[in-house]
Amino acid sequence: MSIIKACIFDLDGVIVDTAVYHYKAWKHLANELGFDLSEEDNEKLKGVSRVRSLELILQWGGVTKTPAEQEELATKKNGWYVEMISHMTPAEILPGAKEFLETCRAAGLKTALGSASKNSMTILKKINIAGLFDAVIDGNMVSKPKPDPEVFLKGAEALHVAPAECVVFEDAIAGIEAAISGGMKAVGIGSPTVLTEADLVVSGLNEMSLEKLSTL
Ligand code: BG6
Ligand code: MG
């Protein structure tokens, strides 16, 4: 029998595909600063905090900014991003995500969100699934970004379960690393050739089942 008592889900790339909105907003900012941002560059920003993403983008563009200017730029990007996510609807929930959350809860498993995004609650409300989580830990509640396990350990604590009783669902390498270093099982959402450290990799939550969970 599996010892799993709780499932902790990343948001961006697992429940919804917001990477496209992050990309549009960062690209807009880069263009204003006089350079471009490729989709390939954007891949490297998945799971990376807002502050660190900006640092990387400025580095790629060869642009130097003071800390105060960087704060201003991050705020500007977030304004565009928030405007885009304000139009999100439940139709944008990735295939199988809502159903798998419901399946877990019906089986008595606890559920939490563990995301780097400070906009997590806005998105959960827009897609109308906030009620499917027993706890929500987001970028406003952590001080150390993934691959530090802080976000997931806080999730386990909020659910009153031990880290070893948790499985994390993540699309980013840094997120898989965070789960493993926190002593949790990790299910990768994406490609097995990228998420090599994960205990199991599926292409989306529509491929998950209680049976697969029980093998972890
Ligand atoms: C992660 C995304 O979930 O959240 C990153 O994968 C993003 O791309 C990070 O930078 C922080 O998000 P936000 O909404 O707080 O800017
Ligand atoms: Mg993600």
Side-chain angles (χ1 to χ4, degrees):
M1 213 188 83
S2 167
I3 58 149
I4 300 301
K5 288 189 181 157
C7 294
I8 306 181
F9 298 84
D10 173 45
L11 178 64
D12 297 314
V14 173
I15 309 275
V16 281
D17 186 15
T18 40
V20 52
Y21 301 130
H22 280 296
Y23 177 49
K24 278 188 187 164
W26 284 129
K27 191 176 163 77
H28 189 170
L29 193 75
N31 290 167
E32 275 199 357
L33 293 168
F35 60 95
D36 203 13
L37 192 72
S38 69
E39 284 191 43
E40 209 174 59
D41 293 334
N42 190 55
E43 280 302 308
K44 299 181 198 130
L45 302 178
K46 285 189 178 171
V48 178
S49 74
R50 193 184 310 166
V51 171
R52 182 67 191 135
S53 297
L54 178 64
E55 284 171 0
L56 287 170
I57 291 165
L58 292 177
Q59 197 179 308
W60 296 334
V63 172
T64 310
K65 294 284 175 191
T66 65
E69 286 168 335
Q70 288 190 25
E71 204 178 316
E72 212 172 281
L73 292 171
T75 303
K76 199 173 190 183
K77 177 266 175 179
N78 192 53
W80 292 326
Y81 178 69
V82 168
E83 207 288 315
M84 285 187 268
I85 61 173
S86 74
H87 302 290
M88 286 181 84
T89 70
E92 287 181 65
I93 299 174
L94 287 170
K98 189 175 180 196
E99 292 77 5
F100 185 63
L101 273 159
E102 287 168 343
T103 300
C104 290
R105 294 174 69 82
L109 296 165
K110 301 237 188 248
T111 55
L113 189 87
S115 168
S117 174
K118 294 185 174 176
N119 295 300
S120 293
M121 263 333 272
T122 306
I123 296 170
L124 290 184
K125 282 182 188 156
K126 281 287 168 194
I127 60 173
N128 203 20
I129 57 164
L132 292 179
F133 295 96
D134 298 303
V136 172
I137 312 295
D138 68 14
N140 298 295
M141 298 152 91
V142 293
S143 52
K144 289 169 259 168
K146 300 167 190 177
D148 190 282
E150 185 186 12
V151 66
F152 298 137
L153 292 176
K154 283 200 165 159
E157 202 183 315
L159 296 176
H160 307 292
V161 293
E165 295 168 330
C166 296
V167 55
V168 168
F169 294 87
E170 254 293 348
D171 69 316
I173 296 169
I176 299 287
E177 286 172 3
I180 292 168
S181 73
M184 302 177 180
K185 295 285 182 195
V187 174
I189 304 292
S191 160
T193 54
V194 177
L195 306 172
T196 52
E197 304 298 314
D199 296 292
L200 167 73
V201 180
V202 291
S203 63
L205 288 176
N206 53 344
E207 270 193 22
M208 269 313 294
S209 61
L210 291 177
E211 204 185 334
K212 283 187 185 167
L213 261 194
S214 70
T215 64
L216 295 170

